Amino acid sequence: MISDLKTKYSNSALGFVWSMLNPLLMMLVLYLVFNNVFRNNQEHFALYILIGLTGWRFFALGTSMAMSSIVGRSSLVTKIYIPREILTISVVLSALVSSLLEFLVLIPLLLIFGVGLSATILLFPALHVLYFLIVYGIALSLASLYVYYRDINQIWEVLLQIGFFLSPIVYPISLIPEEYKLYYMLNPITRLIEMYRDTLLYGRLPGFTDFGLVLVFGIIMFVFGSWLFRKLSPRFAEEV
């Protein structure tokens, strides 16, 4: 995990600062565009976007980087035996640490924008553990499939772009027509991002149904990803 973080920021003048600047600059662009396009009246819309972006970045970066965790370390796969899951979880843990630091930057911003801190912020670690379960489960699936099918990388990039706009990152859920909202809420990332906003921005407790559904989805993804990884891992050394 530490080596992944060092590699990510090596030969970079600003190092980790880029992890903070990237979502902040993206938030500024999206705020200027969507605030005018939608004539949006969403309270604290800039922070609303920033929380959505920060949450989405963990999913997008964690899964994308973990996809090549086996292929990118072929020498460790072919020359020595280690539990191959270590290679994938180290990358996801690296993305988790970066994500936690990015969320940490939100705390002074909440104070600066006059939002304040609520006791509901204490629920944030539980939400992030749920999120980690989902990201790690998907990462295991992608990493194992990528060993055999290199087109997975291109397919996943397209799916991430679609997922970005199918999640309430740059627009409020109120824009979704009522007849489609039930299907829209089937996306667990939608529920997670809204729970982040409830606990960090609005001082509200997440809905029990939302928490339960995300937990079930996280367990399913973890179990499926672990099963698929174990099923495909015996031939990793031959394929990489």
Side-chain angles (χ1 to χ4, degrees):
M1 179 185 72
I2 295 176
S3 63
D4 288 318
L5 287 171
K6 288 181 178 179
T7 301
K8 182 177 179 181
Y9 300 116
S10 63
N11 299 322
S12 172
L14 295 180
F16 172 72
V17 176
W18 281 117
S19 286
M20 295 181 288
L21 282 179
N22 190 303
L24 286 172
L25 292 174
M26 184 63 72
M27 177 211 70
L28 179 61
V29 172
L30 293 173
Y31 173 79
L32 293 174
V33 172
F34 286 94
N35 193 52
N36 287 299
V37 169
F38 295 139
R39 301 297 181 201
N40 183 46
N41 295 319
Q42 181 75 38
E43 186 179 9
H44 301 298
F45 190 47
L47 291 174
Y48 182 93
I49 291 179
L50 186 55
I51 291 173
L53 279 174
T54 305
W56 178 257
R57 275 171 59 83
F58 177 39
F59 179 76
L61 295 178
T63 54
S64 296
M65 292 190 304
M67 189 185 308
S68 59
S69 58
I70 304 299
V71 173
R73 296 177 177 178
S74 57
S75 60
L76 294 178
V77 177
T78 57
K79 295 180 180 179
I80 60 175
Y81 178 78
I82 59 172
R84 276 67 182 271
E85 292 89 345
I86 292 177
L87 302 176
T88 302
I89 197 173
S90 66
V91 176
V92 180
L93 285 174
S94 171
L96 175 68
V97 171
S98 294
S99 175
L100 288 172
L101 292 173
E102 290 172 14
F103 269 110
L104 192 62
V105 175
L106 280 169
I107 294 179
L109 290 177
L110 291 172
L111 297 174
I112 291 171
F113 280 85
V115 175
L117 300 178
S118 169
T120 56
I121 197 174
L122 297 176
L123 294 174
F124 172 81
L127 295 180
H128 224 48
V129 168
L130 282 184
Y131 207 178
F132 174 81
L133 204 61
I134 293 173
V135 173
Y136 181 51
I138 295 175
L140 284 172
S141 299
L142 291 173
S144 56
L145 289 172
Y146 186 62
V147 173
Y148 297 88
Y149 311 104
R150 302 302 166 87
D151 290 342
I152 290 291
N153 184 33
Q154 307 301 323
I155 295 172
W156 189 243
E157 284 185 9
V158 174
L159 291 177
L160 284 177
Q161 292 177 25
I162 295 173
F164 181 87
F165 291 104
L166 288 181
S167 303
I169 298 170
V170 295
Y171 57 83
I173 288 183
S174 58
L175 291 178
I176 304 299
E178 203 61 39
E179 60 267 28
Y180 300 122
K181 193 166 290 186
L182 176 63
Y183 305 104
Y184 183 80
M185 294 303 293
L186 292 176
N187 178 5
I189 306 302
T190 292
R191 294 182 182 271
L192 262 170
I193 289 175
E194 286 300 289
M195 287 194 288
Y196 279 132
R197 288 173 176 145
D198 283 341
T199 56
L200 297 175
L201 188 57
Y202 301 123
R204 297 192 299 246
L205 290 173
F208 180 78
T209 301
D210 291 335
F211 191 89
L213 288 174
V214 171
L215 175 61
V216 170
F217 182 80
I219 293 173
I220 291 173
M221 292 310 305
F222 174 74
V223 171
F224 176 77
S226 299
W227 169 81
L228 184 63
F229 194 94
R230 286 195 301 269
K231 181 179 176 62
L232 298 179
S233 60
R235 291 185 53 205
F236 280 176
E238 302 171 27
E239 298 292 335
V240 296

